[in-house]
Amino acid sequence: MSKPTIEHLLTRRSVSANALGEPGPDSAQLDQILTAAARVPDHKKLAPWRFILFQGDAREAFGGALAEICRAEEPASSAVRLEMEAKRFLRAPLVIAVVSRVTSPSPVPEWEQVLSAGAACQNLVVAASALGFGVNWVTEWCAYSAGVRQALGLEENEKVAGFVYIGTAEGKPDERPRPALDEIVSVWLPDRC
Ligand SMILES: Cc1cc2nc3c(=O)[nH]c(=O)nc-3n(C[C@H](O)[C@H](O)[C@H](O)COP(=O)(O)O)c2cc1C
């Protein structure tokens, strides 16, 4: 691993979707980001993920659908909430829905296919931030809504692994606490059997 890569992994931070402005990636950068996202460990080459891009006016159009779905699924939603939903995808110049798609039956367990979709999300995060963009991987209510599933055209075997917001960070996020290694790492010893 090159030094810049390890430095990036050791210092990278997510940036809130609310703090992402223009510009987003240009088409060459977007190609790199998506190519990196598709270059993840993938048992038996099933490609158990796909990507849906939201850019430009499509973000506002999808926001209109989100507001309608929110109104239908949560009829008590306030006007302020519906307005927020209408603007949800306008928080960043680019939103990428990462869709986990499980091939079944398959010799590859569903768990492994889902893990590969998580890896695709993280490669998106790492690639976009390596290019200098602010990135936020979120699910929010939209990832779990039946109405949003339908609006995205998901099949039965598909789930939203995340919505990855990408843009230019308006500020530098503070560091956040990380687990101490001695709390999450142990060394297996044969005499403990
Ligand atoms: C699958 C998944 C879903 C997430 N969904 C949300 C979410 O809906 N809202 C949120 O504020 N953060 C969510 N997060 C957390 C952020 O992506 C991010 O991890 C957190 O803000 C700190 O990020 P950092 O450690 O990369 O700086 C989610 C993380 C994962 C892995």
Side-chain angles (χ1 to χ4, degrees):
M1 185 186 286
S2 67
K3 197 166 175 221
T5 303
I6 190 69
E7 272 173 13
H8 180 56
L9 290 173
L10 290 173
T11 55
R12 180 209 58 79
R13 274 242 48 205
S14 296
V15 178
S16 166
N18 293 318
L20 295 175
E22 297 284 349
D26 62 24
S27 67
Q29 290 169 319
L30 180 55
D31 244 46
Q32 284 190 310
I33 291 168
L34 292 169
T35 304
R39 196 180 175 95
V40 287
D42 166 14
H43 196 172
K44 291 209 181 288
K45 300 192 274 292
L46 296 174
W49 17 257
R50 65 185 178 95
F51 309 100
I52 306 172
L53 311 185
F54 297 85
Q55 294 165 292
D57 294 345
R59 296 168 304 152
E60 194 168 5
F62 197 73
L66 286 181
E68 281 312 307
I69 294 162
C70 179
R71 193 201 308 271
E73 293 184 353
E74 297 178 54
S77 297
S78 66
V80 171
R81 167 78 191 278
L82 295 177
E83 179 68 15
M84 193 181 92
E85 297 309 338
K87 292 185 174 155
R88 184 170 289 280
F89 273 32
L90 290 172
R91 289 180 292 175
L94 170 66
V95 184
I96 303 178
V98 180
V99 177
S100 151
R101 54 173 185 186
V102 171
T103 299
S104 173
S106 165
V108 180
E110 176 172 341
W111 170 237
E112 295 187 13
Q113 299 185 46
V114 174
L115 288 172
S116 182
C121 290
Q122 182 62 5
N123 261 22
L124 266 186
V125 169
V126 170
S129 50
L131 288 174
F133 294 101
V135 191
N136 201 9
W137 170 8
V138 293
T139 41
E140 302 174 323
W141 69 274
C142 321
Y144 303 104
S145 148
V148 175
R149 282 183 60 84
Q150 194 176 16
L152 290 171
L154 299 198
E155 304 287 340
E156 271 298 303
N157 64 332
E158 295 184 318
K159 283 186 182 152
V160 173
F163 294 101
V164 181
Y165 288 71
I166 302 175
T168 297
E170 281 161 10
K172 192 172 176 299
D174 294 335
E175 194 39 78
R176 74 168 176 88
R178 306 286 168 176
L181 289 187
D182 61 4
E183 287 167 11
I184 55 168
V185 180
S186 58
V187 177
W188 185 83
L189 296 170
D191 62 352
R192 299 253 174 97
C193 287

